[in-house]
Amino acid sequence: MLVSVCIASYQRPEGLKRLLIELNQLTFSKSEVPEIEVIVVDNDVTGSAREICANIETNFCWMLKYCIESQRGISFARNRAIASVSEYSNFVAFIDDDEVPETNWLDELLSVQKAYQADVVAAPVIPNFIKSDIPTWLAKGEFFEPLRYPTGHPLEIASTNNVLIRAEILRQIEPVFDERFAITGGEDTNLFMRLHLAGYKFVWANDAIVREWIPQSRTNLKWVLQRGYFGWSIHSWCECELYPSIPVITIRIIKGLALIVKGLFLMLPSLFVGQHALIKALLNIYRGVGTLAGIIGIRYQAYKVTHGV
């Protein structure tokens, strides 16, 4: 069995190095040890990740493939990764270059896939703050904490920050990641909505944990609210496009307005609870506005400026 671990990277050499070191420590107890190829796609035309990969390859347990995708954009980088997957690969796993997996990460994904005969297995991404002195409101509000489910819980959506997919599914799609999302992000939301619409089985693996390194630049009110707006606008945009009907659009409008009303309703009592409650009320409003914006195709260009993919 061959598993292809795909990593899209952009100017995060230290994060990529940390990730590759941890991938080198993977252990297997529930599954047979698979063949593993790790595919690093450098979306930086200068090849800033080349040296990191070259230095670690000598002592790397697995096969390591490195290539450059010169066309800027997350969709192009991830499609290049898929194009680099070996033709006999059984599974494709995605993980980001600002994350590190637990040693049993891939073992858990594979064992859950086998137990539930799933087409897609998603798992949690736990925040790891680079600066421990984060704002009090951020800690109390748990704004970075993921939703968690029991292992085997059915899902309707997943994300490329921690997921395992049957490779044969991806071979049937061209392109896998829609290039319209190259600068906006949300290409994974679009992909997994399409896969769910096609009837593929999604399940949750609660113990296949990866940890995301959160920089100080994200531990602020602006970033939290922008992320809320962005995520809900992308979801709304994709849903309206993939399920084009008056009832779906109507439901999205109602959801957007309900979120805004909920946020406004919570504003006053939140003043007596604390700053984190006030920000949660604001986040509902931003999510509601994002939902409405997505209906008419307004999307925030998350990768227009120079950020890591």
Side-chain angles (χ1 to χ4, degrees):
M1 178 172 62
L2 174 63
V3 181
S4 304
V5 178
C6 295
I7 305 162
S9 187
Y10 180 73
Q11 295 185 354
R12 283 188 182 139
E14 291 306 312
L16 178 61
K17 179 180 179 181
R18 184 170 56 231
L19 169 57
L20 292 176
I21 289 172
E22 293 304 318
L23 287 175
N24 215 24
Q25 311 300 318
L26 293 178
T27 59
F28 296 87
S29 60
K30 296 182 177 181
S31 311
E32 292 185 13
V33 179
E35 292 182 73
I36 298 175
E37 62 177 7
V38 176
I39 301 168
V40 176
V41 177
D42 191 347
N43 205 201
D44 181 1
V45 70
T46 66
S48 57
R50 180 186 286 109
E51 185 177 356
I52 295 295
C53 292
N55 289 341
I56 203 168
E57 187 172 16
T58 303
N59 298 311
F60 204 54
C61 296
W62 324 113
M63 183 190 306
L64 181 60
K65 296 181 178 179
Y66 169 82
C67 60
I68 294 176
E69 173 52 60
S70 58
Q71 189 158 4
R72 181 78 176 96
I74 186 66
S75 297
F76 299 114
R78 291 203 165 122
N79 280 333
R80 181 63 181 275
I82 294 297
S84 302
V85 168
S86 296
E87 63 181 5
Y88 58 92
S89 180
N90 302 97
F91 297 99
V92 175
F94 282 95
I95 189 170
D96 289 343
D97 64 352
D98 57 355
E99 298 174 344
V100 293
E102 298 286 305
T103 56
N104 67 337
W105 167 66
L106 192 53
D107 189 31
E108 288 290 337
L109 288 175
L110 290 170
S111 65
V112 170
Q113 186 284 322
K114 183 177 181 180
Y116 294 90
Q117 289 299 296
D119 300 300
V120 177
V121 182
V125 178
I126 309 299
N128 182 46
F129 296 99
I130 295 176
K131 295 286 187 180
S132 57
D133 55 338
I134 62 172
T136 302
W137 62 265
L138 193 66
K140 283 187 175 182
E142 299 182 335
F143 293 98
F144 285 85
E145 293 298 324
L147 292 173
R148 302 285 294 271
Y149 309 97
T151 291
H153 182 82
L155 303 172
E156 296 184 0
I157 196 66
S159 174
T160 45
N161 56 6
N162 186 2
V163 72
L164 182 78
I165 313 167
R166 287 187 193 269
E168 63 186 83
I169 294 172
L170 301 181
R171 295 190 186 102
Q172 301 170 26
I173 308 171
E174 182 59 39
V176 173
F177 293 101
D178 194 321
E179 294 173 357
R180 293 175 300 168
F181 296 86
I183 301 302
T184 64
E187 76 297 333
D188 52 348
T189 297
N190 177 268
L191 169 65
F192 291 116
M193 277 192 173
R194 284 186 282 139
L195 294 182
H196 184 263
L197 182 61
Y200 291 109
K201 184 178 182 180
F202 290 51
V203 301
W204 181 257
N206 199 46
D207 296 320
I209 294 171
V210 304
R211 299 187 184 277
E212 180 183 13
W213 289 60
I214 309 294
Q216 192 171 16
S217 61
R218 295 184 183 181
T219 57
N220 58 75
L221 176 61
K222 180 181 178 181
W223 198 92
V224 168
L225 295 179
Q226 277 187 346
R227 186 176 73 159
Y229 172 90
F230 164 70
W232 287 68
S233 66
I234 286 291
H235 189 98
S236 184
W237 190 91
C238 292
E239 190 170 69
C240 289
E241 181 179 73
L242 295 172
Y243 302 88
S245 66
I246 296 300
V248 168
I249 294 173
T250 301
I251 290 171
R252 296 311 299 177
I253 292 173
I254 292 171
K255 284 183 177 180
L257 292 174
L259 283 165
I260 294 170
V261 170
K262 179 182 178 181
L264 292 172
F265 181 77
L266 292 174
M267 290 283 282
L268 183 59
S270 71
L271 297 175
F272 302 95
V273 178
Q275 189 178 10
H276 68 286
L278 176 60
I279 293 171
K280 281 189 174 182
L282 287 172
L283 186 56
N284 276 301
I285 295 172
Y286 269 73
R287 286 171 171 172
V289 172
T291 297
L292 298 178
I295 294 171
I296 57 176
I298 298 175
R299 291 175 289 156
Y300 173 65
Q301 294 189 334
Y303 300 113
K304 185 175 182 179
V305 292
T306 304
H307 290 312
V309 299

